[in-house]
Amino acid sequence: KLSWNDFAILVRANNHAEPFVRMLESFNVPYQFVAARGLLQQPEVLDVTSYLKLLDNYHESASMYRVLAMPHLDLQRRTIMDLLQFARRKNVSLFEAAEQARSLDGIPPDDFCSIDRLLDLVREHTKLASEKSVGAVVYQFLDDFKYIDSFDRDRDAAKIQNIAKLYKMVRDFE
């Protein structure tokens, strides 16, 4: 008869919460992280900013990793690990490894489709970034990835609000 609201995890420092947050996300356990850290450190905002960094520099492997790990792509963890190993072995960026993914054995066909879709969107959005404002690129990213649609409106209301705050911040900056 317990609900998720009956549980709390208390940590002494914000950085101690990170392993808990990752595990809760990986098991799709609803959570709300209440801490004295800023908007730009929220996981959903980091997803968007990582994608923007990737558009600026395809060889930004940390950003590419974060984008590949987004649940919206639905890539198997094993596929991401294989790409990381390939990138290290060949001394190429993670983006270049993704471009060469079809040469790897053991990657499921669905993951090939997701990787191809991601690479196409990155190229398309890079071109868009040279023609349009950052706000337009962020909007296109959210729309093309169906990023907000993937959230549960009730359970993930804080995440949706954070994305809205980021978008407003970008528009105000413009």
Side-chain angles (χ1 to χ4, degrees):
K1 296 184 181 183
L2 296 174
S3 74
W4 292 117
N5 292 332
D6 295 322
F7 298 90
I9 300 172
L10 303 175
V11 294
R12 212 173 259 283
N14 288 344
N15 63 333
H16 296 159
E18 193 61 38
F20 294 103
V21 169
R22 279 193 309 246
M23 290 308 292
L24 292 169
E25 285 179 352
S26 70
F27 288 102
N28 291 324
V29 174
Y31 72 92
Q32 182 177 11
F33 184 68
V34 180
R37 71 179 195 183
L39 173 69
L40 297 178
Q41 295 302 312
Q42 298 300 319
E44 56 280 1
V45 173
L46 286 171
D47 286 348
V48 176
T49 56
S50 290
Y51 188 76
L52 292 174
K53 287 178 188 176
L54 184 60
L55 298 182
D56 181 53
N57 179 3
Y58 291 174
H59 304 292
E60 173 66 41
S61 288
S63 295
M64 181 64 172
Y65 175 81
R66 181 158 194 107
V67 171
L68 286 170
M70 288 187 326
H72 308 80
L73 285 180
D74 199 28
L75 287 178
Q76 294 183 21
R77 288 188 179 146
R78 181 70 204 171
T79 297
I80 298 171
M81 289 176 17
D82 288 345
L83 290 172
L84 283 167
Q85 283 181 323
F86 181 79
R88 276 193 211 111
R89 195 172 65 245
K90 296 292 185 180
N91 198 28
V92 296
S93 70
L94 193 51
F95 185 86
E96 291 170 302
E99 287 181 315
Q100 299 173 38
R102 293 208 179 267
S103 67
L104 298 173
D105 293 329
I107 294 182
D110 288 348
D111 284 2
F112 284 132
C113 292
S114 294
I115 291 168
D116 288 344
R117 181 175 173 269
L118 170 64
L119 295 174
D120 289 344
L121 287 174
V122 166
R123 290 183 188 105
E124 179 184 321
H125 292 161
T126 299
K127 186 175 186 298
L128 182 68
S130 68
E131 302 165 355
K132 300 284 184 177
S133 67
V134 177
V137 175
V138 169
Y139 179 84
Q140 200 62 51
F141 162 78
L142 296 172
D143 188 46
D144 288 344
F145 279 82
K146 306 291 184 236
Y147 195 84
I148 293 179
D149 296 343
S150 68
F151 293 136
D152 179 290
R153 297 275 180 209
D154 297 324
R155 190 183 80 193
D156 297 324
K159 291 180 180 185
I160 296 169
Q161 289 174 346
N162 288 340
I163 295 293
K165 287 177 190 174
L166 173 68
Y167 187 74
K168 183 182 180 327
M169 182 187 302
V170 167
R171 297 298 293 183
D172 289 348
F173 178 77
E174 292 174 348

